[in-house]
Amino acid sequence: QVQLEESGPGLMQPSETLSLTCTVSGFSLTSNGVGWVRQPLGKGLVWMGTIWAGGSTNYNSAVQSRLSISRDTSKSQVFLKMNSLQPEDTGTYYCARHPDYFDYWGQGVMVTVSS
Amino acid sequence: DIQMTQSPASLSASLEEIVTITCKASQGIDDYLSWYQQKPGKSPQLLIYDATSLADGVPSRFSGSRSGTQYSLKISRPQVDDSGIYYCLQSYSTLTFGSGTKLEIK
């Protein structure tokens, strides 16, 4: 069955670079896009970016200058890297399979940015 | 960017009511509209995609429709388990979510 699982550090310092991994199973990254969605604590959902089946990427303009999404198809992993972290980057980060909508989601990983 | 205006922000309904949540797009989005349910501490779950298509395993009491650039999610005879926060998402262009509707079923 389709599964996605996020992993990464829970606590980051301001100005550091966040690295998250989304490990997928049950589908191929060369046939499906995977997106990242952030949810600040107690707030709504924000799309951050997507890596498509062909390897191209799209980013939310609000974070585009700080964000990079890549993948390793041999390991079925998608990576999110975001630099210059600020406290407002605190939240839960989800990866989700993305065929024009998000049909399967990971459980999310909570990231706190604090000194 | 396309704005999605979701309403109401919160809603309380009984088991016998029909619940309707709407999202109005700031421009046409060609039915690239999906709906999600999120329960506390859980990931969002897909309910409706392409404006009207029911996702696998979703009860038939959920339905989606469109009138102009306004999209609606309807829950007929809701269950207590349908309580949660509902979001719309447009994927016609740079993806944007609605602000969410907190639904309580009494």
Side-chain angles (χ1 to χ4, degrees):
Chain A
Q1 69 276 28
V2 172
Q3 290 185 318
L4 301 96
E5 183 174 3
E6 306 90 346
S7 59
L11 181 62
M12 302 291 295
Q13 304 260 359
S15 80
E16 287 187 330
T17 295
L18 175 66
S19 293
L20 298 177
T21 299
C22 175
T23 302
V24 310
S25 59
F27 69 97
S28 169
L29 293 178
T30 58
S31 301
N32 295 268
V34 170
W36 289 91
V37 175
R38 178 170 71 187
Q39 185 169 37
L41 194 63
K43 296 190 177 181
L45 303 168
V46 179
W47 171 72
M48 300 189 71
T50 292
I51 186 163
W52 300 104
S56 62
T57 53
N58 286 109
Y59 300 118
N60 185 323
S61 58
V63 294
Q64 185 169 6
S65 62
R66 302 191 290 133
L67 182 64
S68 174
I69 297 175
S70 60
R71 69 185 185 181
D72 183 335
T73 57
S74 66
K75 295 183 178 179
S76 295
Q77 291 181 324
V78 175
F79 309 105
L80 175 150
K81 289 191 189 303
M82 189 162 66
N83 60 32
S84 304
L85 286 179
Q86 295 300 315
E88 50 267 32
D89 294 315
T90 293
T92 298
Y93 288 72
Y94 298 99
C95 62
R97 195 172 74 164
H98 188 183
D100 285 337
Y101 42 86
F102 297 115
D103 58 353
Y104 291 91
W105 296 65
Q107 83 284 356
V109 58
M110 178 66 193
V111 175
T112 301
V113 182
S114 175
S115 54
Chain B
D1 290 359
I2 295 174
Q3 304 302 314
M4 301 301 294
T5 303
Q6 186 170 344
S7 61
S10 63
L11 177 60
S12 182
S14 68
L15 296 173
E16 301 302 314
E17 292 185 48
I18 295 177
V19 171
T20 301
I21 299 169
T22 64
C23 272
K24 185 169 178 58
S26 58
Q27 64 185 74
I29 57 171
D30 202 20
D31 289 352
Y32 283 88
L33 190 286
S34 47
W35 291 96
Y36 303 83
Q37 176 197 65
Q38 186 177 32
K39 296 186 179 182
K42 300 294 187 181
S43 311
Q45 290 198 336
L46 176 68
L47 299 173
I48 301 286
Y49 63 96
D50 295 347
T52 60
S53 297
L54 196 65
D56 289 345
V58 176
S60 59
R61 61 180 179 272
F62 291 91
S63 63
S65 63
R66 173 181 65 85
S67 176
T69 60
Q70 179 163 291
Y71 292 82
S72 297
L73 172 70
K74 185 171 76 172
I75 311 173
S76 302
R77 302 179 67 86
Q79 304 299 302
V80 173
D81 188 53
D82 296 336
S83 297
I85 301 177
Y86 291 78
Y87 296 94
C88 65
L89 167 69
Q90 71 79 19
S91 52
Y92 178 76
S93 67
T94 303
L95 280 74
T96 47
F97 286 92
S99 53
T101 296
K102 186 174 184 178
L103 173 65
E104 178 192 22
I105 304 298
K106 298 172 294 188

